[in-house]
Amino acid sequence: LADEIRQFMNPNFNTTTTSATTTNTKQQQGGGTLDAILLTNQQCIHYDNTPGVYVTRKSDLTKWKKAFPEAKVIMYRLDIPRECRDEVTQVLDGYGPWGWKEEGNNEEEGEEDGGMMTFVETGRPLTIEEWDEDTKSRVLQNGELPPDDEGMFNSDGEKDGESTAVVASNDNMDDDDEDEEDEVQTTLKLLKRIETRSTLRSLTAIRISGSKKDVILVGADGGCLSLLAFDTAASSANNNNSDASVTYKIIHCPTFGKSGCRRDTPGQYLASDPRGGRAVMIASTEKRKLVYVLNRDSGGNITIASPLEAHRPRTVVFDLVGVDNGFDNPIFASLEVQYPEYEDAVLAERKKKKDQEDRGKMEEERGHDVELGQHGDGYTKQLAYYELDLGLNHVSRRWATSTLRSACCLAAIPGGLDGPSGVLVGGEDYIEYLHEGMTTPSLSNGESKVTPKRLICAIPRRELHPKSKGVLITTISVLRQKKGKFFALAQSELGDVYKVTLQLSKEDKTVVTHMTICLLDTLPIGNGLNISKLALLFVPAEFGDHGLYQFDAIDIEDSAVKFTSGETISAFVKSGDSSEDAFYASSENVAAIAPKFRPTILQNMHKVFTLDSLAPVTSVLVGELAGNEVSPQFYTLCGRGPRSSLRILRHGLSVTELAVSELPGVPGGVFNVRDDRGTKNGKFHDRYIVVSFADATLVLSVGETVEEMGKESGFLTSDPTLACSALGNGDKDGGIVQVCPGGVRHIRRVNNQVNVSQWSVPGIKKIECASANESQILIALAGGELIYFELDPMSGNLTEACTRDVGTDVCCLDVGPVPKGKSRSLFAVVGSRDSNVRLLSLDPGNLLVQKSSTTLGATKPYSAALSIVDGSDGASELTMTVGLEDGSALRANVDPITGAISTSPSRRFLGARPVAVSRVTLDGSSSTLLLSSRPWIGRHGNGRHAMAPMSYAPLDHGCSFSNEAVREGIVATSGTTLRILSVGENGGNPLGNDDDEAFNATDVSLRYTPRQMCLLSAKVGETSKKIVLALVESDYNDHGAEEKRSMGFDGTGRLKTTSKKIGNKSNDDAMDMDEDSDDDAKNEEKKEEADDEDEDDINSRLTPIRGPVPSEKGRWGSCVRLVDPQNACSTLDCVELNRNEAALCCASVRFHSRGGESLLAVGTVTNMTMHPLDHKESHVVLYRVVNGNRLQFLHRTKVDDGPVLTLVHFQGRLLVGIGRTLRLYEMGKRQLLKKCELRGLPTMVKTLHAAGDRAYVGDMMQSVHFIRYDSTANRLVLVARDRSSRPITCQELLDMNTVAVGDKFGNVSILRLPGGADVGAIDVTGTRALWDSSREDATPKLETLCTYHVGEVVTSMTRASLVAGGAESLVYVTVTGRVGAFVPFTSREDVEFYTSLEGFLRVEAPRPTGRDPQAYRSYYAPTKHIIDGDLCDAYSHLPFETKQKIAEQLDRSVGEIMKKLEDTKNALL
């Protein structure tokens, strides 16, 4: 067969003179060569025409290679038999299709090399694209490039715009030149939140060349690579605030692998090409890497090609980054370790004594890998370059080198014309610069010169850090300042931030000669460092609040603590050590050469904004413990280490109290009057605040100060005011209208003289209620007569336009606001005592004609208001809000054309008092203020209505307020006080974002990581009692507070700064000795002002500082804290525990022998280590609360069998979980007395609950056990256990037979004891055999009622009712700071509705990461009997056509579905 092939290629070939060494050369002109042999079992290779499959055998390949020694053998990766691996020249590894490609630059080059022919993966499907006539003409006749081959970059080869890592909005108040300059606040604002219903693994932003916007690449557990684009558009034409409607679009979501977070499924690491986003590499933890090529089509749309494989078996990846290689082929740098197979490891052990040259040759034949085990520890960490050849559409492993074994993070250095390219590698104690082809300068070592292999620099270390422990660099970020200038920021595991600069050669700017690392500041430990060109640094904290910082200085090399690569390498050369790796691996070496520093407050930056984060939440408690609030508070234990805190969450908006003033009586209303003459850049401020009393009116003038006005204002102050407003549209002063019970007063100012005209009520009737806007007044007389007035725009006078009798007494009315660009409101709402609300027309042709009405049932309206809100499509919508006497509020949409009221109004209970409704302006848009037993704010944004309470005392009356000092506020009355308030943090309103509900938090700083908390009832005096909160805190690998003080550690970092300031002050005092007393007084005032400024500056520079790291294992810092929830959770007492003793749990226990007094039981361990899990001893410590403010130690009881992780009060005794043992204790005089115990639990008791004679035990690995206490036999008996193994993290008792549990995999399950299961648990007769009662299969099993995958580790759960009179819900918190709730259904109708809605949304809802919602909620077990509320809430974000489609299938309207969703939320909050 070989001879026939030779004869076919070369007709002059002589078969009688075959020579295997010469047959592959061109002997005759026109002859050919066999370049490659392609073997595949998919297309088959046949020896003849008989069908069959060619089975590759090593003997066959040997004969082929002997006949054609220069021919390549190409096979697909999955088709290569194990014994044929050495014979295969090229392995096809990818999805195809493959093409035969010549690697030479031209045809002659390929002919000369002969072997420069290879198969490459094209990366594109073989499809036919039809060109239109214009494209054909341009390509075929004019010679233009085809659309697919157009250039990827614009003419200048640069991006069209700049990208920033932090989106910051500067909230600036406009000023005229005459006014003082206002302060500019830099804040972060949530623009969009997307529920992906998946586990996000990686994320990066790229900008395709030619585009002006970034797109987001997301790697998740859906087995897809998501490409998302965001679009920011103004929510409406008349919305001039910063709140914008942000939409996102799923551009591409190609599937590449299985779902789930698997070690060989790409998605864990994501890197993009820094130049134009030409390609992106997505990698798994082990083996697999895929490269996607990105481009733009002729229409400007982003296209993504089929993935190219860059897999490498037995390789573990630690980090991945795109290398800036200019406009050459994209390169990706991977920090990885290649480990040998087991067989290879055995062979390597047997061949240890083999010659080094032979072994190096073998490694070269196996793929030019870096030699494994250079450190003698079995593996070598490598930095590898993977190159994407855009011409061949192929990915190859271009270059690799060894690096530090502790290396864990990478950062790309600018390349091309902007820098030397390469990467920074962060490891333990060092940062290294690596790049292909780099050289390092030689150093002299006595007589000889030494050329080090590495360009490496040690980082400065803290003074108190132990010499035996290293400091790991966890993240590095690079900022390109301008062409050829850049710097990097690196953060260590302790939070210290370093600035890294590279010095380039003067001759060649692509050569790095020097590296300098200097200390910048100490910040909270972050998952990344996002540097903006606006001199801002955003730190997304690993745990705790995220921070936005402003740089004060960045060129700090001259004054900061620093170290250079030259000093580091010189230290190595002087040490005489022969191995660089061994020298740099020693922490003692770096401790001897690196400079030392002591962390302080921020020196080179200050914090400008804090983004709240609860992560991690370790425990939650819900209850009204403050004593003077209506709704319960959430008490959460958050944070870790020095950033730990107790946070009190209140459902509602935060309120800032700006001013409080006493009034002469109880007011009956408050109004604001706009100042048309005081407009400022089109913005109106208020001129008067009018307060109405039962028989008088108080007029307050608003200016620099608030002053009371008399008759000069023109107001009638001897009667109450029912309504007042400024008239006119702002261009022309129309005066002020005041409505009193006796008539309507029109107050105008002509030639600085007050001119008052009044319309009096005819007869003896009185005005019951009234409403006014800029041009319309509507009043209601006793008996139901309505009189309507309008402002004549020509004369400026009020004219009576229409009168109508509604036939019943009117109790409230509102004429509504005037729409922008209009002269009048077209509708008025009137509420009457017959429980009807009518909508009347104010159109000049149909004045006071009823357009629609709605019936309220048994209740009556109390107040009403019409509001103009921004709809989801940008158009304005008219909304009617009615406050009812039963404490609820009714909200309905009104058709702006016909005036029809929607048939499905929304109703919500707000409090026990009648609801007063008024319009206010917050964040530049119209909102509604609703006042009941608690104030509420309602606002329409992003296509839905959001309502949240205000965290403030009850208010009686309120309206909007604005002046130069308070841009958007509320003036309100409470009792006999007048208050001016600002709603929202920093004056902003969080409503209208994608937040479901608004919460505000108050935090109390803690000393260590909080572990658990419990409530105690403490006796104060002889009769009164007080509720206090006890917390236990502990930190592993940390010193106690006393040890830190003895070591000279200052956790605030203020010691050094304060000492400097004290020194400066003493010098100032010395200089001022000869000054007179007046100068002394002035200087004292200046000093006080300067001290205040210094204190504010110091507060913005405070940063949490981690304490010194202990040099040995098993060191703990711990304390027990007592706080007062009625006094802002202030600390009453804090007891520091003994050295290396850690408090892990606590409980309130009431021993019958102590008369039911509440004692605090604390479980502690001593010298506990985590790896391996071990401890020296465990104790149960009892404390007594004295006078409600102090902890008194009673006694300590040593326990055996394991650590104490949980305690619970049980029938007047203490039930303790100790390792695998459950033990019951009674109170003794000197220690606890053991009564009974249950041994042999599976692994370790993690959680405990008790009710009646039952105990509910959560095992750390084996789910829940129901235990019953037999009082007659004084023993604990196992009643039932779960059939599934669940690693329990928390549990909550729902009833005597039902318990809810959360496991460490993010699942929540509800388990129930089968009926009658506990009847046979205790053998009353004594006739049962012992072996029958102890059999495993004889123990009843718990039934699983519900299962649901939350997606995050649930750390704590509790039952609570969050609204007055509402049903209890199951509230849970997670390790990432999420607070959620499970709401029980009370009717079959709700179950059927939400089940159907969830089914439709599983299909219709967008999948940003390609993850199926049902598959995600069934991550470990199929979801059961729980509706995905987050998925149902996605209905409100769908396009209207999709909403309508789902509504038709549910046989409901869109409004009814939205109302149902809102009612369900209102039942919870």
Side-chain angles (χ1 to χ4, degrees):
L1 180 60
D3 289 341
E4 294 179 3
I5 293 176
R6 297 189 189 101
Q7 184 68 33
F8 172 76
M9 294 187 299
N10 189 356
N12 296 328
F13 177 76
N14 186 2
T15 58
T16 61
T17 59
T18 303
S19 175
T21 61
T22 61
T23 54
N24 243 10
T25 62
K26 293 190 175 180
Q27 300 174 353
Q28 300 277 341
Q29 183 68 23
T33 59
L34 180 64
D35 286 328
I37 305 171
L38 177 65
L39 300 176
T40 170
N41 63 359
Q42 296 179 0
Q43 298 297 333
C44 303
I45 292 181
H46 308 295
Y47 287 110
D48 50 29
N49 294 328
T50 305
V53 178
Y54 177 79
V55 180
T56 308
R57 296 191 299 272
K58 186 173 183 179
S59 58
D60 297 333
L61 283 181
T62 303
K63 294 177 181 178
W64 281 102
K65 292 290 289 185
K66 183 177 181 180
F68 303 97
E70 296 185 9
K72 293 183 178 180
V73 180
I74 298 118
M75 295 189 68
Y76 185 63
R77 174 175 57 86
L78 300 179
D79 301 335
I80 303 175
R82 189 178 186 87
E83 64 273 9
C84 300
R85 291 180 179 177
D86 296 337
E87 308 293 341
V88 178
T89 307
Q90 182 184 3
V91 178
L92 302 182
D93 194 356
Y95 290 96
W98 291 275
W100 184 241
K101 184 72 175 179
E102 182 179 342
E103 293 186 355
N105 294 332
N106 49 50
E107 192 171 310
E108 290 77 7
E109 201 174 322
E111 289 177 358
E112 291 176 0
D113 296 337
M116 298 297 290
M117 306 289 286
T118 182
F119 275 97
V120 297
E121 187 179 12
T122 64
R124 298 184 180 181
L126 301 178
T127 59
I128 299 176
E129 181 180 355
E130 295 290 342
W131 287 350
D132 54 21
E133 294 299 328
D134 181 58
T135 304
K136 290 180 182 179
S137 175
R138 287 189 290 106
V139 175
L140 300 179
Q141 298 179 10
N142 300 336
E144 295 183 10
L145 290 176
D148 289 345
D149 297 332
E150 291 179 354
M152 299 176 62
F153 304 98
N154 51 23
S155 59
D156 58 359
E158 296 182 356
K159 298 179 182 179
D160 292 335
E162 298 293 342
S163 65
T164 57
V166 179
V167 180
S169 61
N170 291 327
D171 191 5
N172 189 8
M173 298 178 64
D174 298 329
D175 292 320
D176 295 333
D177 295 339
E178 297 83 13
D179 297 332
E180 295 181 357
E181 182 180 358
D182 289 333
E183 182 182 0
V184 179
Q185 284 189 335
T186 303
T187 63
L188 286 174
K189 187 173 185 180
L190 175 65
L191 295 180
K192 188 68 176 179
R193 188 184 65 187
I194 302 175
E195 285 290 345
T196 62
R197 289 170 287 280
S198 62
T199 300
L200 302 181
R201 306 174 68 187
S202 57
L203 182 144
T204 186
I206 64 172
R207 181 175 297 181
I208 306 298
S209 180
S211 175
K212 296 184 179 180
K213 292 184 179 180
D214 291 342
V215 293
I216 303 298
L217 280 165
V218 182
D221 63 344
C224 303
L225 177 64
S226 299
L227 190 62
L228 308 178
F230 290 83
D231 184 23
T232 304
S235 57
S236 65
N238 59 356
N239 188 6
N240 56 2
N241 59 10
S242 60
D243 192 7
S245 176
V246 181
T247 60
Y248 76 96
K249 178 183 178 182
I250 304 174
I251 302 177
H252 294 287
C253 192
T255 303
F256 54 74
K258 298 180 180 180
S259 62
C261 297
R262 309 170 191 266
R263 67 177 187 175
D264 59 348
T265 299
Q268 187 65 31
Y269 301 100
L270 195 59
S272 63
D273 173 40
R275 294 284 177 162
R278 296 172 293 174
V280 60
M281 174 178 277
I282 183 170
S284 61
T285 305
E286 185 176 358
K287 180 182 177 183
R288 299 189 64 192
K289 300 182 185 70
L290 297 175
V291 176
Y292 287 88
V293 179
L294 304 178
N295 210 330
R296 302 182 73 88
D297 59 15
S298 58
N301 301 316
I302 299 176
T303 61
I304 186 168
S306 300
L308 305 176
E309 293 185 351
H311 303 335
R312 188 168 180 82
R314 309 188 313 277
T315 301
V316 178
V317 179
F318 289 84
D319 200 4
L320 189 70
V321 70
V323 179
D324 191 345
N325 197 31
F327 294 109
D328 293 340
N329 287 333
I331 294 178
F332 300 95
S334 173
L335 187 62
E336 57 191 32
V337 166
Q338 185 180 9
Y339 59 88
E341 289 185 351
Y342 176 74
E343 299 175 1
D344 297 339
V346 174
L347 291 176
E349 184 68 25
R350 293 176 181 176
K351 297 178 181 180
K352 242 181 188 181
K353 299 180 181 181
K354 213 171 183 183
D355 188 46
Q356 294 293 332
E357 296 181 0
D358 295 337
R359 202 174 75 179
K361 185 177 180 181
M362 180 184 67
E363 290 294 332
E364 184 177 359
E365 292 176 354
R366 291 181 55 187
H368 306 282
D369 293 336
V370 178
E371 183 181 4
L372 299 177
Q374 291 181 358
H375 301 297
D377 50 15
Y379 71 87
T380 297
K381 191 166 288 187
Q382 310 164 25
L383 176 71
Y385 276 10
Y386 291 83
E387 180 183 13
L388 168 63
D389 193 322
L390 294 174
L392 300 178
N393 205 27
H394 175 72
V395 182
S396 60
R397 195 170 192 256
R398 172 172 173 168
W399 171 77
T401 184
S402 63
T403 183
L404 299 173
R405 177 180 175 178
S406 61
C408 63
C409 60
L410 301 175
I413 297 299
L417 300 177
D418 299 328
S421 187
V423 294
L424 290 176
V425 183
E428 193 174 68
D429 295 324
Y430 296 94
I431 296 177
E432 183 180 8
Y433 170 76
L434 291 175
H435 190 41
E436 182 183 9
M438 63 172 289
T439 59
T440 54
S442 300
L443 298 176
S444 61
N445 183 15
E447 299 179 355
S448 61
K449 284 190 175 183
V450 178
T451 302
K453 298 185 299 181
R454 304 183 184 278
L455 183 59
I456 192 171
C457 183
I459 62 174
R461 294 165 61 97
R462 296 189 180 185
E463 290 182 357
L464 301 178
H465 195 76
K467 297 181 179 180
S468 60
K469 290 185 177 292
V471 179
L472 185 67
I473 296 296
T474 58
T475 181
I476 306 177
S477 181
V478 178
L479 175 66
R480 183 183 308 170
Q481 293 175 295
K482 58 183 180 180
K483 194 171 185 178
K485 188 175 181 181
F486 59 90
F487 69 89
L489 294 184
Q491 188 177 37
S492 70
E493 60 181 331
L494 302 179
D496 301 323
V497 179
Y498 305 93
K499 180 188 176 184
V500 184
T501 55
L502 300 179
Q503 285 75 36
L504 308 181
S505 172
K506 295 181 180 179
E507 294 78 13
D508 188 357
K509 295 298 182 181
T510 62
V511 177
V512 179
T513 61
H514 205 62
M515 183 194 307
T516 302
I517 300 178
C518 52
L519 176 69
L520 182 66
D521 265 319
T522 300
L523 299 177
I525 301 175
N527 294 320
L529 300 173
N530 300 300
I531 314 170
S532 166
K533 291 188 177 180
L534 300 175
L536 294 172
L537 173 65
F538 177 64
V539 181
E542 182 181 26
F543 293 113
D545 294 338
H546 315 302
L548 182 64
Y549 297 85
Q550 178 78 53
F551 284 100
D552 297 329
I554 194 62
D555 296 329
I556 58 173
E557 285 79 4
D558 296 335
S559 58
V561 179
K562 65 181 179 180
F563 205 57
T564 64
S565 59
E567 295 172 315
T568 304
I569 299 174
S570 298
F572 159 68
V573 174
K574 293 178 181 178
S575 67
D577 201 325
S578 59
S579 172
E580 285 189 67
D581 297 333
F583 177 81
Y584 295 135
S586 173
S587 297
E588 286 80 1
N589 291 337
V590 70
I593 63 175
K596 308 299 189 297
F597 68 92
R598 176 165 294 187
T600 64
I601 63 174
L602 301 179
Q603 302 292 331
N604 301 301
M605 63 181 73
H606 65 277
K607 182 182 286 189
V608 294
F609 187 77
T610 299
L611 194 64
D612 291 340
S613 173
L614 301 180
V617 183
T618 57
S619 184
V620 63
L621 191 150
V622 181
E624 206 296 287
L625 305 181
N628 56 354
E629 299 183 13
V630 178
S631 299
Q633 304 92 40
F634 290 74
Y635 293 84
T636 57
L637 301 181
C638 308
R640 187 184 68 174
R643 306 195 72 202
S644 302
S645 63
L646 167 64
R647 302 210 178 187
I648 304 96
L649 304 180
R650 291 175 172 84
H651 175 225
L653 303 175
S654 60
V655 177
T656 303
E657 190 178 82
L658 303 177
V660 178
S661 178
E662 287 292 332
L663 296 175
V666 178
V670 62
F671 311 94
N672 65 325
V673 179
R674 185 190 65 199
D675 188 0
D676 291 334
R677 303 171 303 171
T679 59
K680 183 178 181 181
N681 294 334
K683 299 178 181 179
F684 295 98
H685 294 317
D686 289 335
R687 183 179 181 183
Y688 297 118
I689 297 176
V690 180
V691 184
S692 175
F693 297 92
D695 56 355
T697 296
L698 177 65
V699 182
L700 302 175
S701 175
V702 179
E704 294 182 0
T705 60
V706 178
E707 299 178 355
E708 182 178 350
M709 299 289 291
K711 295 182 179 180
E712 65 275 11
S713 65
F715 281 83
L716 182 62
T717 59
S718 58
D719 283 351
T721 299
L722 303 179
C724 67
S725 174
L727 299 177
N729 56 9
D731 298 334
K732 183 177 180 181
D733 186 8
I736 300 173
V737 62
Q738 178 191 15
V739 182
C740 300
V744 179
R745 291 171 60 89
H746 187 195
I747 307 169
R748 303 180 66 183
R749 186 174 294 273
V750 180
N751 297 327
N752 293 328
Q753 297 294 326
V754 176
N755 186 9
V756 178
S757 59
Q758 179 167 342
W759 176 90
S760 300
V761 178
I764 60 173
K765 291 185 177 181
K766 296 292 183 181
I767 300 177
E768 297 286 340
C769 51
S771 176
N773 58 22
E774 292 89 336
S775 61
Q776 299 164 291
I777 300 97
L778 182 63
I779 63 174
L781 305 182
E785 183 180 358
L786 299 177
I787 303 177
Y788 172 67
F789 298 87
E790 270 195 6
L791 179 68
D792 187 351
M794 301 302 296
S795 63
N797 296 324
L798 286 178
T799 59
E800 182 179 345
C802 185
T803 303
R804 184 194 170 186
D805 193 346
V806 296
T808 182
D809 288 339
V810 176
C811 50
C812 61
L813 54 83
D814 183 61
V815 294
V818 178
K820 188 175 182 180
K822 305 290 184 180
S823 61
R824 61 171 56 86
S825 172
L826 296 180
F827 301 102
V829 58
V830 177
S832 56
R833 299 195 180 277
D834 59 356
S835 299
N836 287 323
V837 177
R838 297 173 175 84
L839 198 71
L840 306 182
S841 173
L842 297 182
D843 184 72
N846 298 301
L847 283 176
L848 300 185
V849 175
Q850 180 172 324
K851 291 295 185 178
S852 59
S853 65
T854 182
T855 303
L856 304 177
T859 187
K860 294 179 176 59
Y862 183 78
S863 61
L866 290 173
S867 303
I868 300 176
V869 298
D870 298 325
S872 56
D873 56 354
S876 297
E877 296 180 359
L878 188 61
T879 301
M880 178 185 70
T881 306
V882 182
L884 308 180
E885 290 187 351
D886 62 356
S888 58
L890 181 79
R891 182 180 55 83
N893 293 330
V894 178
D895 190 302
I897 305 300
T898 63
I901 301 175
S902 62
T903 58
S904 57
S906 175
R907 191 166 177 173
R908 181 169 186 174
F909 180 76
L910 303 182
R913 287 164 39 178
V915 179
V917 183
S918 60
R919 287 185 300 272
V920 294
T921 301
L922 294 177
D923 208 9
S925 61
S926 178
S927 304
T928 308
L929 176 65
L930 304 99
L931 304 178
S932 182
S933 54
R934 187 178 187 184
W936 293 70
I937 290 289
R939 179 179 172 187
H940 198 84
N942 290 342
R944 61 178 181 175
H945 185 269
M947 183 178 292
M950 296 165 55
S951 295
Y952 198 70
L955 301 176
D956 301 327
H957 310 280
C959 66
S960 183
F961 177 76
S962 175
N963 69 349
E964 294 182 1
V966 184
R967 185 181 57 180
E968 291 176 346
I970 294 174
V971 57
T973 64
S974 177
T976 60
T977 59
L978 180 69
R979 304 166 186 252
I980 298 178
L981 313 173
S982 176
V983 180
E985 188 176 0
N986 295 327
N989 184 18
L991 282 177
N993 294 329
D994 270 354
D995 286 326
D996 297 332
E997 295 289 344
F999 282 84
N1000 69 90
T1002 304
D1003 61 323
V1004 178
S1005 298
L1006 302 179
R1007 187 177 298 174
Y1008 306 104
T1009 302
R1011 303 291 176 174
Q1012 207 171 9
M1013 60 181 170
C1014 66
L1015 289 175
L1016 294 170
S1017 177
K1019 183 180 293 186
V1020 180
E1022 297 182 358
T1023 57
S1024 61
K1025 289 188 176 182
K1026 178 181 180 181
I1027 300 296
V1028 294
L1029 193 60
L1031 293 76
V1032 292
E1033 312 167 29
S1034 58
D1035 266 333
Y1036 180 56
N1037 202 22
D1038 196 5
H1039 292 288
E1042 293 296 334
E1043 293 178 86
K1044 292 178 182 178
R1045 280 193 288 269
S1046 63
M1047 297 168 66
F1049 172 74
D1050 179 23
T1052 63
R1054 301 180 62 172
L1055 184 60
K1056 184 177 179 181
T1057 306
T1058 305
S1059 62
K1060 289 182 179 181
K1061 291 185 176 180
I1062 292 174
N1064 293 336
K1065 288 183 180 181
S1066 62
N1067 293 334
D1068 292 341
D1069 292 341
M1071 294 174 61
D1072 295 340
M1073 288 178 61
D1074 297 333
E1075 297 181 2
D1076 55 19
S1077 59
D1078 293 338
D1079 293 337
D1080 289 341
K1082 293 179 180 179
N1083 290 330
E1084 287 296 330
E1085 293 179 359
K1086 292 181 179 179
K1087 287 180 181 180
E1088 291 179 1
E1089 294 177 357
D1091 291 342
D1092 294 338
E1093 294 178 359
D1094 290 342
E1095 189 67 26
D1096 294 339
D1097 181 66
I1098 289 177
N1099 291 334
S1100 67
R1101 297 179 183 273
L1102 291 178
T1103 183
I1105 301 175
R1106 193 218 190 279
V1109 178
S1111 57
E1112 64 274 0
K1113 294 183 179 180
R1115 303 301 297 266
W1116 288 80
S1118 183
C1119 68
V1120 180
R1121 187 182 301 267
L1122 196 67
V1123 300
D1124 184 6
Q1126 296 183 2
N1127 187 21
C1129 285
S1130 59
T1131 299
L1132 299 174
D1133 192 13
C1134 186
V1135 178
E1136 187 77 15
L1137 297 188
N1138 298 330
R1139 180 173 297 183
N1140 298 337
E1141 184 178 15
L1144 301 180
C1145 58
C1146 65
S1148 173
V1149 58
R1150 298 176 302 278
F1151 291 101
H1152 290 169
S1153 58
R1154 295 277 300 188
E1157 180 185 4
S1158 292
L1159 303 179
L1160 176 63
V1162 179
T1164 68
V1165 292
T1166 305
N1167 289 355
M1168 183 177 181
T1169 59
M1170 297 299 181
H1171 302 287
L1173 184 60
D1174 193 14
H1175 68 286
K1176 183 178 179 180
E1177 55 187 14
S1178 300
H1179 296 88
V1180 177
V1181 186
L1182 284 184
Y1183 293 93
R1184 176 173 176 261
V1185 181
V1186 180
N1187 295 328
N1189 58 7
R1190 185 169 58 88
L1191 288 174
Q1192 180 185 9
F1193 172 79
L1194 293 181
H1195 56 62
R1196 179 191 304 267
T1197 303
K1198 184 178 180 180
V1199 297
D1200 300 324
D1201 300 331
V1204 179
L1205 299 183
T1206 180
L1207 308 161
V1208 71
H1209 169 81
F1210 183 78
Q1211 293 187 351
R1213 296 175 178 177
L1214 182 63
L1215 191 61
V1216 185
I1218 311 169
R1220 300 174 59 188
T1221 302
L1222 187 65
R1223 190 172 296 167
L1224 188 63
Y1225 283 98
E1226 179 60 272
M1227 179 71 175
K1229 291 185 177 181
R1230 295 190 176 182
Q1231 67 175 15
L1232 295 175
L1233 307 177
K1234 182 172 64 176
K1235 290 301 179 182
C1236 65
E1237 65 180 15
L1238 178 64
R1239 291 179 173 269
L1241 293 173
T1243 57
M1244 191 172 292
V1245 179
K1246 180 65 174 62
T1247 57
L1248 268 178
H1249 276 80
D1253 61 349
R1254 286 185 188 169
Y1256 308 85
V1257 181
D1259 189 82
M1260 189 170 286
M1261 294 299 296
Q1262 296 295 328
S1263 193
V1264 176
H1265 298 69
F1266 280 38
I1267 309 295
R1268 183 176 175 183
Y1269 175 64
D1270 184 5
S1271 58
T1272 57
N1274 191 27
R1275 62 172 181 163
L1276 297 169
V1277 182
L1278 178 63
V1279 175
R1281 68 178 67 191
D1282 190 11
R1283 63 180 72 250
S1284 301
S1285 299
R1286 310 177 197 271
I1288 300 299
T1289 57
C1290 60
Q1291 69 180 28
E1292 176 64 20
L1293 189 62
L1294 302 183
D1295 58 42
M1296 283 291 292
N1297 298 321
T1298 312
V1299 63
V1301 298
D1303 59 40
K1304 71 175 184 178
F1305 297 120
N1307 301 310
V1308 173
S1309 305
I1310 298 180
L1311 310 175
R1312 175 168 290 176
L1313 181 69
D1318 60 340
V1319 176
I1322 298 179
D1323 184 18
V1324 182
T1325 62
T1327 58
R1328 184 187 303 173
L1330 179 61
W1331 51 84
D1332 287 340
S1333 61
S1334 61
R1335 285 171 48 192
E1336 174 69 23
D1337 56 354
T1339 304
K1341 301 298 186 295
L1342 300 176
E1343 298 176 352
T1344 303
L1345 298 184
C1346 304
T1347 304
Y1348 185 79
H1349 179 67
V1350 175
E1352 304 167 12
V1353 180
V1354 180
T1355 55
S1356 182
M1357 292 188 294
T1358 184
R1359 289 182 295 118
S1361 175
L1362 305 181
V1363 296
E1368 282 189 335
S1369 302
L1370 183 62
V1371 179
Y1372 67 89
V1373 293
T1374 67
V1375 71
T1376 61
R1378 170 174 292 191
V1379 180
F1382 292 95
V1383 181
F1385 285 133
T1386 57
S1387 66
R1388 174 62 60 179
E1389 179 185 359
D1390 292 342
V1391 175
E1392 294 175 352
F1393 168 77
Y1394 278 102
T1395 302
S1396 302
L1397 180 61
E1398 183 187 28
F1400 290 121
L1401 287 174
R1402 285 174 180 171
V1403 179
E1404 300 293 342
R1407 301 177 181 180
T1409 59
R1411 190 72 158 122
D1412 179 71
Q1414 186 175 11
Y1416 177 69
R1417 296 305 180 190
S1418 306
Y1419 217 105
Y1420 295 93
T1423 182
K1424 184 178 181 181
H1425 296 165
I1426 294 182
I1427 303 297
D1428 189 350
D1430 291 335
L1431 180 60
C1432 293
D1433 187 60
Y1435 178 83
S1436 59
H1437 301 282
L1438 296 176
F1440 182 78
E1441 295 77 10
T1442 308
K1443 291 181 182 179
Q1444 188 68 30
K1445 176 183 175 182
I1446 297 176
E1448 291 175 354
Q1449 292 174 330
L1450 291 175
D1451 196 21
R1452 293 172 182 256
S1453 66
V1454 176
E1456 290 174 346
I1457 297 179
M1458 296 290 290
K1459 179 179 179 298
K1460 189 74 173 178
L1461 292 172
E1462 186 176 343
D1463 291 343
T1464 304
K1465 284 186 178 181
N1466 295 342
L1468 174 65
L1469 287 173

